Amino acid sequence: MGSTGLRPLVRRAGEREPALRELTDAELGAAVDALRSRARSRGGAQAGGGAEASGGAGRKSSAASWDDDALVELCALGREAAFRALGERAFDVQLLGMLGLLRGTVVEMATGEGKTLVGALAAAGFAVQGRRVHVLSVNDYLARRDAEWMRPVYELLGVHAGYVTQESTHAERRAAYARDVVHVAVGEVGFDTLRDRLRTAASELVLPEPDVAIVDEADAVLIDEARIPLVLAGGVAAGSDEAEAARVVEGLVDGLHFEAEPDGMTVHLTDAGVTEVERALGVDNLFALGMDARLSQINVALYASVLLRRDVDYLIRDGRIRLVDANRGRLAQRQRWPDGLHAAVEAKEGLVVGPRGEVLDQLIVQDLIGGYPTVAGMTGTAVIVAEQLREFYRLETGDLPPNVPCVRVDEPDRLYDGEASRDAALIDLVERTHATGRPILVGTRDVAKSEQIGAALRELGLNCAVLNARDDSREAAIIADAGVVGAITVSTQMAGRGTDIRLGGRDGVDCERVAGLGGLLVVGVGRYPTRRLDDQLRGRAGRQGDPGTSVFLTSLDDESITRHASDPLPRSARVEDDGRIRDASVRRHVEQAQRVAEGALLDGHRTTWRYNRQLRLQREEVLDLRRRVLHGDEAARVLAELRPERWAELLDAVGESVLAEAARQLLLYDLDAAWGEHLARTADLREGIHLRALGRQNPIDAFHAETQRAFVPLIDRAREAAAEHLDTAHITESGLDTERSDVQRPTSTWTYMVRDHPFTSMDEPFLTAIGKRLRAAGREG
């Protein structure tokens, strides 16, 4: 997105300021109404603008439906509304961002540049055209905060806005989604989409047809969250034998019975380990035909026992396993691993293994976003992921210059030979800096590290605030005070994203003093898996031209290096007495490891997308039939054809309208049940599909082939099942008796996001170990 062509429009909007400043609020509203009428007169057909004017090929934008004069007026009215409602005059760069969003692009704006206002002004611009807008955020807190913060702006522009959170009732959701603009977490709108897919009456739907999505923190939503499917589950199935598997692997000895790879990604049984497991289970051959489920269970239990770490990968809260978002360091709301792995961790920790749910439907963020004709977004780090946004979403990106040039100093990494020397240097740096009064933000990879550093600082008498997933309720308040004189804040990557760190604190009283000390010092403890996450941490300093400094302290045994370094460490590296390494070749070694990590994350995103591609097409076919059943007479037509005699019999008993409604309920029930069974089969298939690589099959191709083979008869089978239910259904003038007709739906449902299974990455060490054992078992047989 080039901003050059838009700058004349912003300049012209500035020229309109004096005239608009003289208007009353009512006159300002009338000017907006005139613009709204102007958009309506141009017709809805032009509202999209087509592929040529859009940010992404084939996506709609809105800028194309406005002429330049209308865009100028829209910018000027938006700026004036913000000034009156919030006392904030939108910067020129914010108006450029607004126009970029209206063009359907993802705009990169630095931290502190006012993305919230930009998103609100663009949302109002779409709404003035008669479009429905969802402003998608990463969590409920930001959705509620931004909707309430921007409400006065919306009201002055005649736009009705609301928000949805996890606590919103069914009625509140319907009311919010009916408004012009709704602020909502991406997971929440995804779960509402899933729930709407299982409604049995059109009047129960909460979501209108998707129209415009403005994605706040677009990199987090479109890249990080996109690897995690959203799941709707219902019913309760009994647990399995995870506790026994946990007891078996608990007695295994590292190095004798199992070996973990140095990268910490895979672990596998040795020959001695297989023998010990067979003895403990009382079986002759763990690799015999029919033992695949037990083998998978043992491998999952071993993975949970050895590689998943408490206070790093998960916490225990209120007797339950709570996952930690690896990218943010915050608790992952409503996330869990696949049932077998989640249960294995529960068993490992001695917790009650929770019930398994029957998966009713699932959705990945990529498919959710793909349903919106118009998509735009904003983030502080868009350009780094530009290729991914283009590949997965057909979205173009562009960066905008800051309103005030950034003067933050980003120092080169300080490299150390090990964690101990790195941490000692960190404590020394914090102690020396704190003595000057300069505020410090220390960013860590995980909860355990943040607490370890916090404890070490307190032992020295240094007061610090520790912010992590264990207590994230005070996140915004802690971050808001991270810029006061002498403040030390230790935080995981969550770092209060969405809350500015103002020099001198939230009231800015000591701003000049802190600026004189050099501004906020940001210290990263080890590199993150991507440069984008590093840059997000760096961006906590240097907002709006403030001074600031960032530096990362890295050790050669950091997980990101040991897990992803492909080249051996240069032998020429010289280690100083304090453990520091200044060799440039070692720095390149660290950077290469990060590039490999980025590649692995991209591969994971692609893998999720590839596995889901065929399921998405199949789901669309099922949904198409479901829409015809829900809104039309498809069910009556199908069942009357399949069971004409029974249909005629019931028609004389209960009447056409009652029978048609009963037919709708029957076909919807059996269609939904068939889809749920299909998902269960495909989930079981995927659990072990990586083993196909041992037979030189491409696992993804094998998955698609078998999934399609299973899907072909699904719709016909659902229709026939509904016809069979019609044969025995209890239908009276009051309607279908679901209990007596054996078509009861789950009495409760719940939603969660599921992390991908670790073995679907087809790790070579795991496959090699399994293959060796299979060949050995074959020779013995």
Side-chain angles (χ1 to χ4, degrees):
M1 179 199 75
S3 61
T4 305
L6 301 177
R7 289 185 180 277
L9 304 181
V10 174
R11 281 197 295 270
R12 288 174 56 192
E15 294 168 0
R16 289 280 292 138
E17 275 190 271
L20 293 183
R21 191 60 51 82
E22 298 300 319
L23 300 181
T24 65
D25 287 355
E27 290 169 334
L28 187 73
V32 176
D33 288 339
L35 201 57
R36 185 177 286 109
S37 299
R38 186 173 176 178
R40 192 177 299 120
S41 68
R42 290 177 66 87
Q46 294 187 24
E52 291 184 1
S54 71
R59 285 204 181 277
K60 296 180 181 179
S61 73
S62 255
S65 65
W66 297 102
D67 57 31
D68 284 357
D69 290 341
L71 288 172
V72 168
E73 189 72 358
L74 189 62
C75 286
L77 290 169
R79 173 181 270 166
E80 182 61 23
F83 180 76
R84 296 187 186 194
L86 306 175
E88 297 180 11
R89 179 187 179 275
F91 306 134
D92 284 359
V93 70
Q94 289 177 296
L95 296 187
L96 289 173
M98 167 190 173
L99 293 173
L101 294 180
L102 289 172
R103 281 190 164 187
T105 60
V106 176
V107 296
E108 178 171 308
M109 299 181 68
T111 299
E113 292 294 303
K115 291 187 286 292
T116 302
L117 178 58
V118 171
L121 293 180
F126 282 115
V128 167
Q129 290 182 304
R131 310 286 299 276
R132 278 189 310 274
V133 188
H134 292 172
V135 181
L136 304 179
S137 63
V138 293
N139 58 45
D140 283 355
Y141 166 75
L142 292 177
R144 180 190 291 112
R145 185 203 70 174
D146 293 352
E148 293 176 341
W149 184 10
M150 294 294 122
R151 179 174 288 122
V153 179
Y154 288 130
E155 289 175 348
L156 272 177
L157 294 172
V159 172
H160 301 287
Y163 64 85
V164 171
T165 68
Q166 186 175 340
E167 288 75 32
S168 299
T169 65
H170 182 270
E172 289 168 341
R173 291 169 190 272
R174 291 196 69 188
Y177 286 126
R179 293 176 177 265
D180 302 321
V181 176
V182 60
H183 288 254
V184 57
V186 65
E188 212 53 48
V189 75
F191 291 136
D192 280 330
T193 299
L194 288 172
R195 284 186 283 258
D196 268 6
R197 287 178 173 183
L198 293 178
R199 305 291 184 196
T200 57
S203 60
E204 297 174 353
L205 299 171
V206 301
L207 281 165
E209 285 295 311
D211 189 4
V212 179
I214 296 178
V215 187
D216 190 13
E217 305 293 2
D219 59 325
V221 171
L222 301 180
I223 303 301
D224 299 335
E225 301 291 334
R227 293 187 293 270
I228 307 176
L230 285 68
V231 175
L232 177 66
V236 176
S240 189
D241 302 321
E242 284 82 7
E244 181 186 18
R247 285 194 298 271
V248 169
V249 302
E250 187 179 18
L252 301 181
V253 178
D254 187 5
L256 173 61
H257 296 131
F258 65 85
E259 294 177 352
E261 295 301 314
D263 61 6
M265 294 288 286
T266 55
V267 60
H268 58 83
L269 295 170
T270 62
D271 288 347
V274 171
T275 301
E276 176 60 21
V277 169
E278 290 170 342
R279 185 200 63 77
L281 293 177
V283 300
D284 295 329
N285 186 354
L286 190 59
F287 295 88
L289 191 65
M291 290 293 293
D292 51 337
R294 182 57 64 90
L295 172 62
S296 177
Q297 195 174 64
I298 291 295
N299 279 316
V300 168
L302 187 63
Y303 185 95
S305 175
V306 177
L307 300 183
L308 291 180
R309 298 155 297 172
R310 185 170 175 173
D311 292 341
V312 176
D313 301 298
Y314 64 92
L315 303 178
I316 297 179
R317 178 177 287 185
D318 300 326
R320 294 190 300 130
I321 298 293
R322 298 291 303 275
L323 274 60
V324 175
D325 185 330
N327 292 316
R328 309 286 160 223
R330 69 173 81 233
L331 279 182
Q333 297 299 319
R334 289 190 292 187
Q335 283 193 26
R336 56 182 288 132
W337 289 293
D339 279 336
L341 181 58
H342 203 90
V345 178
E346 289 173 325
K348 162 191 173 181
E349 295 291 352
L351 303 176
V352 175
V353 176
R356 293 189 177 198
E358 174 191 6
V359 174
L360 304 176
D361 204 357
Q362 64 186 38
L363 175 71
I364 61 171
V365 169
Q366 189 168 315
D367 290 342
L368 172 68
I369 298 298
Y372 289 88
T374 299
V375 178
M378 49 194 175
T379 179
T381 50
V383 175
I384 291 178
V385 291
E387 289 301 320
Q388 294 185 57
L389 293 175
R390 186 178 296 115
E391 175 182 352
F392 296 117
Y393 299 97
R394 298 175 297 155
L395 286 171
E396 295 299 324
T397 60
D399 60 331
L400 294 174
N403 180 55
V404 179
C406 179
V407 296
R408 184 185 67 243
V409 177
D410 296 326
E411 295 184 1
D413 283 16
R414 301 182 188 181
L415 304 178
Y416 294 86
D417 62 344
E419 181 180 16
S421 55
R422 189 269 316 275
D423 289 356
L426 168 69
I427 299 300
D428 179 64
L429 174 62
V430 171
E431 189 174 23
R432 286 186 290 105
T433 304
H434 177 71
T436 70
R438 187 179 186 184
I440 308 160
L441 173 65
V442 179
T444 71
R445 286 286 307 273
D446 55 64
V447 174
K449 195 65 183 178
S450 68
E451 294 180 340
Q452 176 189 334
I453 291 172
L457 291 173
R458 291 184 183 117
E459 284 182 7
L460 294 174
L462 301 178
N463 290 325
C464 63
V466 177
L467 174 59
N468 59 39
R470 203 180 299 281
D471 180 18
D472 56 4
S473 60
R474 299 181 298 121
E475 176 180 351
I478 291 174
I479 286 298
D481 287 331
V484 302
V485 174
I488 304 175
T489 307
V490 182
S491 173
T492 52
Q493 172 62 12
M494 61 200 303
R497 200 169 183 186
T499 302
D500 285 342
I501 299 178
R502 298 178 182 273
L503 300 189
R506 65 188 77 188
D507 55 9
V509 171
D510 291 320
C511 178
E512 294 301 322
R513 179 182 173 189
V514 175
L517 294 170
L520 181 68
L521 171 63
V522 172
V523 185
V525 184
R527 288 282 192 100
Y528 289 96
T530 71
R531 290 170 295 156
R532 179 168 53 85
L533 294 176
D534 289 348
D535 289 347
Q536 287 169 8
L537 181 59
R538 293 186 197 276
R540 305 309 293 157
R543 60 174 296 278
Q544 284 293 316
D546 287 341
T549 305
S550 74
V551 61
F552 279 77
L553 274 61
T554 308
S555 70
L556 295 180
D557 54 5
D558 281 348
E559 181 183 19
S560 59
I561 299 175
T562 59
R563 177 172 289 189
H564 298 290
S566 55
D567 298 325
L569 184 68
R571 294 184 178 181
S572 59
R574 185 174 65 85
V575 181
E576 298 179 359
D577 291 342
D578 62 354
R580 186 168 180 179
I581 303 173
R582 299 180 185 270
D583 195 301
S585 63
V586 181
R587 183 174 293 113
R588 290 193 292 271
H589 179 79
V590 172
E591 292 168 351
Q592 172 62 19
Q594 189 175 55
R595 284 191 289 270
V596 172
E598 289 174 333
L601 289 172
L602 177 56
D603 287 343
H605 192 168
R606 286 194 178 117
T607 298
T608 299
W609 177 73
R610 287 167 180 165
Y611 273 112
N612 190 72
R613 182 172 49 185
Q614 188 147 313
L615 281 176
R616 177 178 59 82
L617 296 175
Q618 293 167 356
R619 186 52 169 148
E620 280 302 315
E621 189 173 339
V622 172
L623 285 175
D624 182 61
L625 173 59
R626 203 178 193 285
R627 280 188 286 267
R628 299 200 306 272
V629 172
L630 194 63
H631 298 286
D633 61 357
E634 180 81 3
R637 183 186 64 78
V638 167
L639 295 190
E641 288 179 359
L642 292 176
R643 294 293 191 273
E645 294 181 1
R646 175 63 170 163
W647 187 266
E649 174 192 342
L650 290 170
L651 195 60
D652 291 335
V654 296
E656 185 175 3
S657 62
V658 172
L659 185 55
E661 179 57 31
R664 177 179 293 112
Q665 298 302 316
L666 290 174
L667 186 50
L668 288 176
Y669 173 86
D670 285 300
L671 187 61
D672 294 341
W675 178 251
E677 291 167 3
H678 183 64
L679 286 179
R681 280 195 297 270
T682 57
D684 289 342
L685 176 64
R686 192 174 174 188
E687 283 281 328
I689 198 68
H690 56 285
L691 295 174
R692 300 295 181 91
L694 296 170
R696 300 191 181 279
Q697 281 184 283
N698 181 299
I700 292 179
D701 290 344
F703 178 83
H704 285 160
E706 296 202 22
T707 299
Q708 184 59 22
R709 192 178 304 118
F711 177 76
V712 168
L714 184 147
I715 289 179
D716 286 341
R717 192 166 59 243
R719 286 171 172 154
E720 184 55 40
E724 291 174 1
H725 271 126
L726 184 69
D727 289 337
T728 58
H730 291 264
I731 305 173
T732 67
E733 292 181 357
S734 299
L736 177 69
D737 186 328
T738 58
E739 183 174 357
R740 297 180 67 190
S741 303
D742 194 27
V743 290
Q744 283 185 290
R745 291 177 175 271
T747 56
S748 64
T749 62
W750 64 95
T751 53
Y752 58 89
M753 290 177 274
V754 60
R755 296 276 184 87
D756 212 351
H757 198 287
F759 299 140
T760 57
S761 60
M762 296 169 285
D763 289 296
E764 189 64 29
F766 176 78
L767 293 174
T768 300
I770 295 295
K772 183 194 302 182
R773 183 62 188 176
L774 285 172
R775 288 190 292 272
R779 287 194 298 270
E780 292 169 4

